[in-house]
Amino acid sequence: MTRKNAAATVHGMSDETWKRHANPWSVWTRLAAIPAFELAVWSRQWLGWWCLAAVLIVVVWLWLNVHLFQPVEPTSWAAKGIYGEQLHVDGKVPAEHKTTFNWLIASGLVGFALIAWGLTALTIWPLALGTVVAVLAQLWRIDRYGLLFQQHLHEQSRGDTA
């Protein structure tokens, strides 16, 4: 089992769950969880150990998020991106996409490293820069996943008519 499949299993990602995960409300509220998590961690300055309650709320929200929204078909930009992500998790990524995805994932990890630095040191510039880098990498990755999904549909339709 790959790391991607293991993460999908932890979240209970069935076909139905992927359709819920693709709901644009689910996508956008997961992105909004990034600054919410940052605020929860930063709040240790004011709340002390009680900040862990806020962190726990964000973590529980992220776990529940993939189960709460109505399932959708791949009609929106966000939904197409998540359907493409499912193809990636299932190992259906053509070679021409792999390098780009690896760079985008690496960029996101750099962003999260900067976020961790900013939150550890309570320094705003690495936190802000890391947030911008992580969110842009995530949005770009969703966009590329949408292209992957469109390519997959095109190849399926071409295969059905041949």
Side-chain angles (χ1 to χ4, degrees):
M1 179 180 288
T2 67
R3 281 189 315 247
K4 293 180 291 230
N5 293 90
T9 300
V10 166
H11 284 284
M13 297 300 285
S14 65
D15 283 339
E16 177 73 10
T17 308
W18 275 106
K19 290 180 179 182
R20 292 175 180 277
H21 185 54
N23 187 308
W25 281 99
S26 176
V27 173
W28 296 116
T29 55
R30 282 193 313 277
L31 279 172
I34 295 170
F37 178 80
E38 294 169 351
L39 181 61
V41 173
W42 195 285
S43 73
R44 74 183 188 268
Q45 285 293 102
W46 316 295
L47 302 177
W49 286 104
W50 284 102
C51 75
L52 294 177
V55 169
L56 183 62
I57 289 169
V58 175
V59 170
V60 168
W61 167 252
L62 287 171
W63 185 84
L64 285 174
N65 180 289
V66 297
H67 305 285
L68 293 177
F69 294 96
Q70 293 298 314
V72 297
E73 294 301 317
T75 54
S76 70
W77 174 84
K80 288 176 186 175
I82 301 306
Y83 274 70
E85 180 182 15
Q86 183 180 12
L87 292 172
H88 189 193
V89 169
D90 291 345
K92 299 176 183 173
V93 177
E96 66 265 21
H97 289 280
K98 287 183 181 180
T99 301
T100 303
F101 285 131
N102 288 339
W103 277 105
L104 291 172
I105 290 166
S107 299
L109 291 172
V110 167
F112 282 111
L114 286 166
I115 290 169
W117 173 21
L119 289 174
T120 301
L122 292 176
T123 305
I124 197 70
W125 77 263
L127 178 64
L129 179 60
T131 302
V132 168
V133 169
V135 169
L136 287 177
Q138 181 66 10
L139 291 172
W140 194 355
R141 197 164 56 96
I142 291 170
D143 190 62
R144 292 294 302 202
Y145 279 143
L147 294 173
L148 171 65
F149 180 72
Q150 291 292 102
Q151 179 181 343
H152 176 75
L153 287 180
H154 180 72
E155 288 171 0
Q156 274 189 328
S157 68
R158 202 174 39 180
D160 291 340
T161 58

